[in-house]
Amino acid sequence: YLNKRAGSMESFPSLDLIREILSALETVAAFPLGSGGGNEEEGGNANNNQQQGQHVQLQSQKINAIHDECRAIAAAVTKYIIEMDDQTLKKFSTDAIFKIRHSLGQTYKSIAESKTNNNHSAYPMAIHEHHEFWRELTLKLITSQSLPLRLFGWDQVGKLISECEAHQPPPRAYIVSGAGTGWVNGR
């Protein structure tokens, strides 16, 4: 629904409503994976273990479906904000823009850190999607004709750099020198 409306500025919900939607998304995306096995007897029964495994798998699928919907809504909101023209963006306070960007970040972070993730999941890419949006929004703000938006954009550059440093992968190797022995020095 929102994806269809993201291209049309007139028919997309207001930023206040978007903030409420994103607040709800933050809550839904952070939904924990429950064990579901609290009411069953512990007998070590193979059938019980199989039922619990199926229950956890079914619950994981439900949470993945919820996360897919959250991601689709977040993508529609990001598309809408990026496609806003400068005149429309000037109408909103920098605080409102920050809150929306922060809510999107929390939603994407919850999806990326989901307990239902596996090695084949695309959910860790959610952080990358948020950083892409953040970069595009920052560029839009910096190139704005409005001085408050430009200043806010430059403030976002520093925060974006700090966030990217926090998500930087560890180095492949360390070069050691002066360790005392030859076999420790090097890589």
Side-chain angles (χ1 to χ4, degrees):
Y1 172 76
L2 288 177
N3 268 333
K4 291 178 184 175
R5 292 182 175 247
S8 172
M9 296 297 164
E10 300 84 33
S11 62
F12 206 80
S14 68
L15 278 188
D16 293 331
L17 183 58
I18 289 172
R19 278 201 326 233
E20 294 299 321
I21 291 170
L22 291 176
S23 176
L25 278 183
E26 277 185 71
T27 305
V28 170
F31 186 78
L33 177 63
S35 64
N39 296 334
E40 298 174 12
E41 296 178 12
E42 291 186 35
N45 189 341
N47 193 25
N48 249 357
N49 289 340
Q50 184 181 12
Q51 287 176 345
Q52 286 178 347
Q54 289 174 345
H55 177 73
V56 169
Q57 183 180 11
L58 182 62
Q59 195 158 358
S60 294
Q61 290 172 349
K62 287 179 183 178
I63 291 173
N64 284 341
I66 290 169
H67 285 172
D68 289 341
E69 291 297 321
C70 288
R71 218 167 156 185
I73 293 169
V77 171
T78 59
K79 179 181 174 187
Y80 172 71
I81 291 173
I82 294 302
E83 290 181 358
M84 274 185 186
D85 62 347
D86 200 33
Q87 294 300 322
T88 308
L89 201 56
K90 282 184 196 177
K91 294 178 185 176
F92 304 108
S93 70
T94 55
D95 188 46
I97 296 169
F98 172 78
K99 286 179 180 176
I100 288 173
R101 201 259 330 136
H102 183 71
S103 289
L104 283 167
Q106 291 299 104
T107 301
Y108 279 122
K109 183 178 177 183
S110 295
I111 292 170
E113 295 174 350
S114 171
K115 291 181 180 179
T116 61
N117 277 340
N118 58 42
N119 293 337
H120 306 292
S121 173
Y123 291 136
M125 289 301 294
I127 293 294
H128 176 71
E129 290 171 12
H130 173 65
H131 285 164
E132 273 184 18
F133 161 70
W134 198 356
R135 284 191 312 260
E136 289 179 34
L137 176 64
T138 302
L139 181 62
K140 184 180 223 41
L141 292 169
I142 289 172
T143 58
S144 172
Q145 296 298 317
S146 166
L147 180 62
L149 289 180
R150 276 187 292 184
L151 293 174
F152 178 65
W154 283 111
D155 183 48
Q156 290 299 298
V157 168
K159 291 178 181 179
L160 183 59
I161 290 170
S162 297
E163 183 73 17
C164 289
E165 285 175 351
H167 286 94
Q168 181 178 351
R172 290 186 190 181
Y174 293 98
I175 299 175
V176 180
S177 63
T181 61
W183 63 272
V184 174
N185 289 336
R187 288 183 163 219

